[in-house]
Amino acid sequence: MNNSITGKNKKIATGWLIVIACMLVQAIPNGIVMNTQSLYMYPVMQAKGFTLSQFSLIFTIGTIVPAIIGPFIGGIYRKVNTKILYLIGGVLLSCGFMTFSIAEKLWQFYAIAAVVQVGASIVSGIGVPILLNSWFDKTSKGKAMGIAYAGGSIGNVFLQQLVVGTISSRGYAHSYFVFGLVALAAIIPIALFMIRMPKNESEIVRGKVQEKEEKTTSVDISYTLKEAQKNKYFWIMGIGLFFVGIYVSAYSIQYAAYFQGELKLSPSTIATTGSLFALASLFGNLVGGILFDKLGAVKTLSIGALAVIGSGVALLMAGTSPLFAHVHSILKGLAMFVYMMTPAYMVGAFFGNKEYGSILGLINLNFALGFCSGSALFGVFVEKFGYNVTWMGILVCVVIAFTSLIIVAKGMTKANKERMERLKDKNSAEIA
């Protein structure tokens, strides 16, 4: 009895050590790349003479490359040692970010962004979900994801202030180099001493509900990639995440240039707004994971939709008062869990573990395509129609995104119940 309890506690402790490792990845190396790049936009545009639409393409080109190879990265994780992959991804991410400091031509920024995002995909975009999905069952993975992704928010509380400060005092090039070096110094020990996959099924952390279910049924409803591609909800989910990508690219990237160039907000106001976003997203990620576990996908996505729509309305009103800029950032932060964990959570919950990495990689491709399209088209629309009309268009994308995802959550819940009954009947017939 004591040996059993000791083994269970050790398993849980190891699983949560992986969560801490993922938190650190999100907070430092991935946080530097994903959460601070928008702060460099306006300084680089001023120094190099790039237009908004030109420099916005850095996010398009820098995202499309890892999006294309995303499905393959998921497959590679089943064949290559995780530590080695993390080291490779970490070097690409951090050294690439440092290289931004010496880039002169527009094409150089594009090429570097592609390399950086490949590294980010290996250690975070695909790597973190695969780790968490491997270590935690469906009744506890939401909480694990929420805590892990909260690391990005914790890091961002400090990164927003530090990056703005270094850009203002030493210039964007110095800031790029310093924070790239910080990312490298963080990822190496994380990869070497903390990251690993479970040795076997007994190491997986399981909730009490899952343990009870496993005693009553051994039916695995997991889908292969080919089976998922034949499911209509797989494609509806892709459409929903495409529009999520569009609104995320606008709200997470374009806001800094809008606040700086259009609204002429002070650097201190922008830094405060960024910090408020970081604090709100910390709470949002923590609560979001719990909501997915407790309320399910439909209710959780509905809550997220209300927060994102409120954030968009506040952004439209930010020109009347900086207070609305802060409201925008707070609501956007509270809903951050939607794009941080929804793809990983929904793929695991509705399509299972059989080919999780490959399915997630393909699903993430839809988000990335939306993100790329949003980044490129946003600048074009702003130059032709102005910010207000463009922000209203983004709100339409928000509605389409959440409507699609809620349809998927309802449809797949019903479809998987029917799938389970069919598999149970098939197993019973084979036994008989």
Side-chain angles (χ1 to χ4, degrees):
M1 186 69 162
N2 290 336
N3 289 337
S4 176
I5 294 173
T6 301
K8 184 176 181 181
N9 289 338
K10 183 178 179 181
K11 175 179 69 175
I12 293 173
T14 305
W16 289 105
L17 179 64
I18 298 299
V19 172
I20 293 172
C22 292
M23 281 186 69
L24 292 173
V25 168
Q26 294 300 115
I28 306 175
N30 189 68
I32 287 170
V33 169
M34 302 304 295
N35 296 333
T36 69
Q37 185 65 279
S38 60
L39 298 174
Y40 292 95
M41 285 185 67
Y42 193 66
V44 173
M45 287 162 54
Q46 279 192 318
K48 302 300 181 183
F50 304 145
T51 66
L52 177 63
S53 59
Q54 284 178 327
F55 197 73
S56 292
L57 282 174
I58 189 176
F59 300 102
T60 303
I61 296 175
T63 304
I64 195 66
V65 173
I68 292 173
I69 69 170
F72 303 103
I73 292 175
I76 291 172
Y77 264 98
R78 298 199 302 269
K79 303 174 182 178
V80 180
N81 183 277
T82 309
K83 291 181 184 294
I84 294 174
L85 273 179
Y86 256 77
L87 285 172
I88 293 172
V91 169
L92 291 175
L93 178 156
S94 54
C95 293
F97 200 78
M98 282 189 279
T99 309
F100 277 128
S101 65
I102 60 174
E104 295 290 336
K105 305 293 184 182
L106 192 60
W107 70 266
Q108 293 172 341
F109 280 93
Y110 294 161
I112 294 168
V115 173
V116 169
Q117 291 299 326
V118 169
S121 180
I122 293 173
V123 303
S124 178
I126 300 295
V128 167
I130 282 183
L131 279 169
L132 297 176
N133 197 69
S134 299
W135 277 96
F136 293 86
D137 73 346
K138 66 181 182 180
T139 64
S140 57
K141 72 177 61 176
K143 182 180 179 181
M145 286 181 180
I147 294 173
Y149 288 129
S153 304
I154 295 171
N156 205 23
V157 172
F158 305 99
L159 288 174
Q160 292 291 318
Q161 300 286 348
L162 291 172
V163 170
V164 169
T166 54
I167 291 175
S168 299
S169 62
R170 301 293 297 276
Y172 78 85
H174 176 82
S175 182
Y176 268 134
F177 184 84
V178 168
F179 285 98
L181 190 62
V182 170
L184 182 63
I187 193 63
I188 291 176
I190 293 172
L192 290 177
F193 303 113
M194 300 181 74
I195 295 296
R196 74 173 178 88
M197 288 291 191
K199 295 177 182 177
N200 49 56
E201 289 286 326
S202 66
E203 283 199 305
I204 297 174
V205 179
R206 305 183 188 278
K208 293 181 179 179
V209 175
Q210 180 72 5
E211 289 176 352
K212 290 179 180 179
E213 287 181 358
E214 289 184 349
K215 291 178 181 178
T216 58
T217 179
S218 59
V219 176
D220 183 9
I221 63 169
S222 296
Y223 293 69
T224 63
L225 179 59
K226 289 183 179 180
E227 288 175 329
Q229 289 176 309
K230 294 178 182 179
N231 189 307
K232 66 179 180 180
Y233 294 113
F234 174 87
W235 298 104
I236 297 174
M237 184 176 174
I239 292 171
L241 290 173
F242 176 83
F243 283 98
V244 169
I246 290 178
Y247 89 69
V248 169
S249 71
Y251 290 159
S252 65
I253 293 173
Q254 305 294 346
Y255 82 94
Y258 175 61
F259 288 165
Q260 290 172 315
E262 181 74 9
L263 302 185
K264 307 298 182 183
L265 299 181
S266 67
S268 61
T269 299
I270 295 171
T272 300
T273 297
S275 295
L276 287 172
F277 165 73
L279 289 169
S281 61
L282 169 59
F283 179 79
N285 277 325
L286 289 172
V287 174
I290 295 172
L291 290 178
F292 271 122
D293 285 341
K294 300 297 183 182
L295 301 181
V298 174
K299 292 180 180 179
T300 303
L301 288 171
S302 299
I303 293 171
L306 292 175
V308 176
I309 291 172
S311 175
V313 173
L315 186 61
L316 280 168
M317 301 175 68
T320 63
S321 170
L323 177 63
F324 288 107
H326 298 329
V327 173
H328 160 74
S329 290
I330 291 171
L331 290 175
K332 178 177 67 175
L334 292 175
M336 187 178 180
F337 71 88
V338 172
Y339 67 89
M340 288 299 295
M341 67 182 71
T342 293
Y345 180 87
M346 290 184 71
V347 168
F350 297 133
F351 295 100
N353 298 332
K354 189 176 292 182
E355 295 189 19
Y356 175 84
S358 298
I359 295 174
L360 177 62
L362 195 56
I363 281 293
N364 280 344
L365 175 59
N366 295 279
F367 174 84
L369 290 173
F371 193 92
C372 293
S373 301
S375 296
L377 294 175
F378 189 92
V380 174
F381 273 69
V382 166
E383 289 170 2
K384 289 189 175 182
F385 305 108
Y387 273 105
N388 284 342
V389 172
T390 306
W391 288 131
M392 285 187 280
I394 295 299
L395 276 174
V396 174
C397 293
V398 171
V399 173
I400 296 173
F402 281 97
T403 300
S404 300
L405 292 176
I406 289 171
I407 288 173
V408 171
K410 290 182 177 180
M412 283 301 296
T413 299
K414 180 179 179 182
N416 281 342
K417 286 181 180 178
E418 296 172 353
R419 181 180 174 88
M420 180 174 285
E421 291 302 320
R422 289 196 302 270
L423 290 174
K424 282 182 178 180
D425 293 341
K426 181 179 177 181
N427 289 347
S428 299
E430 289 176 353
I431 293 173

